[in-house]
């Protein structure tokens, strides 16, 4: 049997580093969190070669006292907690006391720090966990960390890193989320000498969202701010028009900490149910302040996962608040004349909006925005664009938050007398003029949504009505179809279907919900049964009912079906009664709009 031995300190440190320091972004995360905990109001992160050759992090925080510096690099040394009881109410971002020890065991680290009360600062150098320099020097208040040659003494781990561009991308994403979670701190991120992100620290979250995600998203946000008994929820959620194909744009922070949580993700996505197409995900930047006694952050080494003691209440608060924000606002999709810029495109320089932060190779675009004869033409060289923020002489510098405007709601009882129904386009879309906007209503999507809401309301109030069929419809089912029908028979009955065994594999349908009467019931039912095959046995009864109700909307008027004026007015009146009239049961828009300004711009009346 192999002999049991105690590992040496260097091996122990490198094992611990494997849990804490996975890649360069892990180093940045730990050191930036320490800077935030040190009450810094300005933090600069600079990297080279994806962070493998250099990571420099500078802050204006409280600094570290001279006699405390070597202790800071010991394992499990921390200023954040004193005993196990402190773990219950921990509010700082870092607390394990493993970060500096782990980082210094796999890199060459230099620390320059000065407290406000000290006359001089200190320089401390440690390589591979061993101290090599400790001296007094002149330094500004705060702390600077230089981390060089990451994994220089563990080449096997360095081989697992991705390309410098990819590693820099991880750090960029991290810095964006740090800025979003702390809008009162000015963050600057520099990659290979180029400024990638620079926030003002003015405390305005919407300004940061604009800088990070661009004009298209910043102009389609709904604000949330609600204080509950033991938590506060605030931030912004996107209108359904800016949905994405994955969860990468769902950001949420607990007490300033970016986390991943299946519970919160479900609350967000359930709130958008009915407002968004399937397999689409919303944009959110939500900040939650929760009593530390209700949260366990000591779950995972990187602290990305948390446990909550009040999970059901947390879910309900988040879901209900987002849902209320969506249903209380008009969510008609506005069609712009010019395609909106993507996140990676330079936006149109609108005088009402602040300019985007710099990206590489955009100096020429800036010069085009400045008059050729202007003295600013020669001012903005490659060097100066790094050293100072660019100011546009012809563009007003303003906060995006200052230009919020109120919404005029088409679908309101007050607006209804002002609707001017122009006519029907392609026997499918109804054209409506209201104030300074032009609207197009998809009659099929609108009627689908009306029928769906009526069916679900009848189910909830147990006031559904059935229409008897004579003779009954006979269904001959396969074994799989029969299994599905038996599993969900009670759900069909709750909506007004009357289905009974007729011998063998045949079933008799003697009644349909009244809003489906007149359809080919046999074809409809077979399609409904087939559609239920995508549900699992664990789905709730309400999910099954919604699936059936959604598919039952085949009773809606179709495109290419001409409606009369009174019929479309009734359609609009029915939309007014709905909680969410803007999207059909499948998440497609019911109404789109275009402003008078955009139309006149298209006809060159406005240049």
């Amino acid at each position: 049997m192999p002999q049991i031995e105690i590992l040496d300190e260097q091996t122990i440190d490198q094992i611990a580093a494997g849990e804490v320091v996975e890649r360069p972004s892990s180093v940045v995360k730990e050191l930036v969190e320490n800077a935030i905990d040190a009450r810094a109001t300005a933090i600069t992160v600079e990297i080279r070669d994806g962070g493998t050759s250099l990571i420099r992090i500078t802050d204006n925080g409280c600094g570290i006292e001279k006699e405390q510096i070597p202790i800071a690099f010991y394992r499990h040394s921390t200023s954040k907690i004193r005993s196990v009881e402190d773990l219950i109410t921990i509010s700082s971002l870092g607390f394990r006391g493993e970060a500096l020890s782990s980082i210094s065991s796999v890199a060459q680290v230099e620390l320059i720090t000065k407290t406000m009360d000290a006359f001089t600062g200190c320089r401390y150098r440690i390589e591979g966990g061993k101290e090599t320099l400790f001296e007094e020097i002149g330094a500004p208040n705060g702390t600077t960390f230089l981390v060089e040659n990451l994994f220089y003494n563990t080449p096997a781990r360095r081989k697992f890193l991705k390309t410098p561009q990819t590693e820099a991308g991880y750090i960029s994403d991290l810095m964006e989320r740090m800025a979003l979670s702390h809008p009162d701190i000015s963050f600057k991120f520099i990659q290979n000498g180029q400024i990638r992100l620079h926030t003002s620290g003015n405390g305005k979250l919407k300004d940061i969202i604009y800088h990070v995600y661009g004009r298209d998203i910043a102009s389609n946000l709904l604000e949330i701010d609600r204080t509950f008994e033991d938590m506060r929820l605030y931030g912004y959620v996107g209108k359904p028009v800016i949905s994405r194909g994955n969860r990468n744009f769902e950001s949420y922070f607990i007490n300033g900490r970016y986390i991943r949580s299946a519970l919160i993700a479900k609350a967000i996505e359930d709130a958008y149910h009915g407002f968004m197409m399937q397999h689409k995900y919303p944009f959110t930047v939500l900040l939650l302040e929760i009593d530390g006694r209700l949260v366990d952050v000591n779950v995972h080494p990187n602290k990305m996962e948390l446990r909550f003691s009040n999970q059901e209440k947390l879910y309900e608060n988040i879901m209900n608040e987002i849902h209320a924000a969506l249903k209380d606002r008009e969510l008609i999709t506005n069609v712009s004349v010019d395609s909106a810029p993507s996140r990676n495109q330079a936006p149109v320089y609108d005088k009402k909006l602040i300019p985007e932060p710099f990206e590489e190779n955009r100096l020429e675009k800036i010069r085009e925005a400045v008059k050729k004869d202007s003295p600013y033409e020669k001012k903005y060289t490659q060097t100066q664009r790094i050293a100072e923020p660019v100011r546009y002489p012809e563009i007003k510098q303003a906060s995006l938050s200052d230009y919020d405007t109120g919404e005029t709601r088409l679908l309101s009882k007050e607006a209804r007398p002002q609707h001017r129904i122009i006519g029907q386009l392609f026997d499918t879309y109804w054209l409506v003029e209201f104030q300074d906007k032009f609207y197009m209503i998809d009659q099929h999507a609108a009627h689908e949504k009306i029928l769906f809401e009526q069916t679900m309301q009848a189910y909830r109030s147990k006031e559904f009505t059935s229409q008897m069929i004579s003779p009954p419809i006979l269904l001959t089912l396969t074994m799989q179809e029969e299994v599905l029908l038996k599993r969900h028979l009670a759900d069909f009955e709750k909506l007004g279907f009357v289905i009974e065994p007729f011998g063998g594999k045949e079933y008799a349908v003697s009644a349909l919900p009244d809003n489906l009467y007149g359809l080919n019931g046999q074809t409809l039912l077979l399609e409904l049964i087939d559609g239920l095959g995508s549900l699992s046995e664990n789905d709730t009864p309400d999910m099954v009912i919604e699936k059936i109700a959604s598919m039952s909307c085949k009773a809606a008027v179709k495109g290419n079906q001409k409606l009369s004026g009174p019929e479309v007015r009734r359609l609009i009146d029915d939309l007014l009664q709905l909680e969410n009239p803007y999207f059909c049961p499948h998440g497609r828009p019911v109404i789109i709009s275009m402003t008078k300004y955009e139309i006149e711009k298209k006809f060159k009346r406005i240049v």
Side-chain angles (χ1 to χ4, degrees):
M1 176 178 176
Q3 186 175 355
I4 299 174
E5 296 182 359
I6 299 175
L7 296 174
D8 61 76
E9 285 298 319
Q10 185 177 8
T11 304
I12 292 172
D13 285 343
Q14 290 197 6
I15 292 173
E19 296 181 351
V20 178
V21 185
E22 181 183 0
R23 54 183 0 107
S25 61
S26 308
V27 175
V28 175
K29 175 180 181 294
E30 297 291 345
L31 297 182
V32 170
E33 286 181 348
N34 282 348
I36 294 170
D37 289 339
R39 300 185 296 278
T41 59
I43 301 172
T44 298
V45 175
E46 182 177 359
I47 66 168
R48 285 205 301 265
D49 303 320
T52 55
S53 63
L54 172 70
I55 297 172
R56 179 188 287 114
I57 297 179
T58 304
D59 70 65
N60 64 348
C62 62
I64 306 173
E65 295 180 358
K66 179 180 179 180
E67 60 273 15
Q68 294 281 303
I69 293 174
I71 301 174
F73 288 86
Y74 294 167
R75 291 195 66 215
H76 305 303
S77 61
T78 177
S79 61
K80 318 297 174 57
I81 61 174
R82 290 291 179 268
S83 65
V84 68
E85 288 77 14
D86 292 339
L87 288 173
I88 300 174
T89 56
I90 189 72
S91 59
S92 59
L93 297 179
F95 60 86
R96 293 179 190 274
E98 293 183 342
L100 296 185
S101 172
S102 298
I103 294 168
S104 64
S105 71
V106 293
Q108 298 165 338
V109 179
E110 182 174 304
L111 165 67
I112 300 173
T113 186
K114 178 184 174 297
T115 62
M116 187 177 296
D117 299 332
F119 182 71
T120 61
C122 294
R123 175 190 288 155
Y124 183 82
R125 190 173 295 156
I126 182 170
E127 300 181 6
K130 295 182 180 181
E131 178 184 318
T132 60
L133 178 68
F134 193 3
E135 64 179 2
E136 291 190 7
I137 61 168
N141 294 336
T143 301
T144 295
F145 273 97
L146 287 89
V147 180
E148 297 178 294
N149 300 320
L150 185 62
F151 301 137
Y152 78 101
N153 55 355
T154 53
R157 294 195 34 208
R158 189 158 187 162
K159 289 179 181 178
F160 282 97
L161 296 180
K162 297 184 179 179
T163 65
Q165 293 81 3
T166 301
E167 295 296 339
Y170 292 141
I171 297 174
S172 177
D173 289 343
L174 169 69
M175 292 305 299
E176 289 172 356
R177 289 196 164 99
M178 287 289 186
L180 291 168
S181 60
H182 296 85
D184 55 337
I185 298 177
S186 174
F187 288 93
K188 182 186 288 187
F189 172 51
I190 303 171
Q191 178 195 353
N192 296 335
Q194 303 294 318
I195 296 178
R196 297 300 187 183
L197 176 70
H198 193 184
T199 64
S200 66
N202 65 3
K204 294 183 178 181
L205 178 58
K206 195 170 185 180
D207 288 358
I208 298 174
I209 293 174
Y210 175 82
H211 275 286
V212 173
Y213 294 102
R215 175 182 175 182
D216 186 31
I217 286 179
S219 61
N220 285 286
L221 297 176
L222 303 175
E223 186 173 11
I224 286 179
D225 194 344
R226 176 76 181 276
T227 300
F228 301 92
E229 180 181 354
D230 50 16
M231 67 170 280
R232 180 190 175 201
L233 172 67
Y234 62 103
Y236 293 90
V237 297
K239 295 179 182 179
V241 70
I242 54 174
S243 63
R244 292 296 185 267
N246 54 49
R247 293 187 175 93
N248 290 347
F249 281 54
E250 290 181 16
S251 298
Y252 36 88
F253 308 86
I254 304 291
N255 298 338
R257 187 191 308 278
Y258 172 67
I259 67 161
R260 289 191 296 261
S261 167
L263 174 74
I264 296 177
K266 179 171 173 54
I268 291 171
E269 290 156 23
D270 286 354
Y272 275 85
H273 183 67
F275 291 90
M276 194 167 286
M277 294 183 67
Q278 290 183 347
H279 310 301
K280 290 290 185 180
Y281 300 92
F283 172 91
T284 65
V285 177
L286 295 173
L287 290 85
L288 293 92
E289 295 175 358
I290 303 179
D291 188 333
R293 292 170 295 183
L294 304 177
V295 183
D296 182 5
V297 299
N298 197 26
V299 176
H300 192 273
N302 62 17
K303 300 184 286 292
M304 284 287 289
E305 300 172 13
L306 278 68
R307 274 195 293 259
F308 307 97
S309 61
N310 56 345
Q311 294 197 42
E312 291 184 7
K313 192 173 182 181
L314 179 68
Y315 167 85
E316 290 177 2
N317 288 344
I318 296 173
M319 194 273 287
N320 291 337
E321 197 61 27
I322 297 175
H323 187 75
L326 291 168
K327 75 185 180 95
D328 291 342
R329 300 290 292 273
E330 185 153 82
L331 300 175
I332 296 174
T333 303
N334 185 66
V335 179
S336 177
V337 172
D338 301 312
S339 59
S342 70
R343 184 179 176 185
N344 296 320
Q345 292 175 327
V348 175
Y349 291 113
D350 192 325
K351 290 186 179 181
K352 294 182 179 179
L353 298 173
I354 55 179
E356 276 241 297
F358 259 146
E359 295 177 9
E360 276 189 286
N361 303 322
R362 286 179 52 190
L363 187 59
E364 291 303 321
K365 291 186 174 122
I366 301 307
R367 286 175 174 158
E368 290 173 11
V370 181
K371 291 182 178 179
K372 289 185 178 179
D373 298 330
S374 168
Y376 293 92
E377 167 70 8
K378 297 180 181 179
K379 179 178 180 180
Y380 294 106
T381 63
Q382 187 78 6
T383 302
Q384 286 168 314
R385 62 184 274 202
I386 299 171
E388 58 178 310
V390 172
R391 301 295 177 190
Y392 299 81
E394 301 297 320
I395 300 174
K396 182 178 180 180
Q397 301 289 316
S399 166
L400 187 67
S401 307
D402 295 336
Y403 293 97
D404 290 341
T405 57
E407 291 185 338
T408 304
R409 302 189 65 167
L410 171 76
L411 296 179
S412 63
K413 292 181 180 179
E414 297 76 17
R416 182 67 184 87
Q418 302 175 49
H419 293 175
R420 178 169 171 254
I421 299 176
I422 301 170
Q424 191 178 26
L425 178 68
F426 306 134
D427 291 337
T428 301
Y429 307 102
W430 279 91
L431 314 180
V432 179
E433 179 186 333
F434 172 62
Q435 294 186 352
D436 66 342
K437 279 193 174 183
F438 163 68
Y439 297 86
M440 298 177 65
I441 302 175
D442 183 333
Q443 65 183 28
H444 175 64
H447 199 205
E448 262 194 328
K449 190 53 184 280
I450 291 167
L451 291 179
F452 175 79
E453 293 281 355
Q454 290 174 345
T455 301
M456 292 304 299
Q457 180 59 34
Y459 161 69
R460 295 187 189 103
S461 61
K462 297 181 172 55
E463 295 178 351
F464 55 82
T465 56
S466 300
Q467 181 71 47
M468 301 305 294
I469 303 172
S470 183
I473 300 170
L474 291 182
L475 297 178
T476 302
L477 305 179
T478 65
M479 184 180 296
Q480 290 180 327
E481 290 171 337
E482 189 177 15
V483 169
L484 287 171
L485 178 60
K486 287 180 177 179
R487 182 188 302 163
H488 301 295
L489 184 59
D491 300 312
F492 278 100
E493 292 173 348
K494 290 175 183 176
L495 292 175
F497 291 91
V498 177
I499 306 173
E500 299 172 318
F502 197 70
K505 295 183 180 180
E506 292 192 329
Y507 288 80
V509 183
S510 55
L512 293 172
D514 60 350
N515 64 335
L516 302 183
Y517 185 74
L519 292 179
N520 185 327
Q522 183 177 29
T523 302
L524 173 63
L525 274 163
L526 289 175
E527 289 182 0
L528 288 176
I529 293 170
D530 289 341
L532 293 175
S534 62
L535 296 175
S536 71
E537 295 184 18
N538 297 324
D539 287 322
T540 64
D542 281 349
M543 292 175 65
V544 177
I545 293 292
E546 284 199 15
K547 178 78 171 180
I548 297 173
S550 175
M551 296 181 65
S552 298
C553 293
K554 294 179 180 293
V557 294
K558 302 295 187 288
N560 302 316
Q561 181 176 341
K562 193 163 184 65
L563 297 181
S564 65
E567 285 175 320
V568 78
R569 290 188 180 90
R570 174 62 186 274
L571 198 68
I572 295 174
D573 289 338
D574 287 342
L575 284 175
L576 294 179
Q577 310 302 317
L578 304 185
E579 182 181 274
N580 169 22
Y582 307 109
F583 301 90
C584 81
H586 314 292
R588 292 189 293 270
V590 170
I591 310 172
I592 62 173
S593 69
M594 182 179 288
T595 65
K596 179 183 178 182
Y597 170 84
E598 290 166 332
I599 294 173
E600 290 183 337
K601 188 175 179 181
K602 195 69 173 175
F603 281 102
K604 307 300 182 184
R605 288 178 173 269
I606 298 175
V607 180

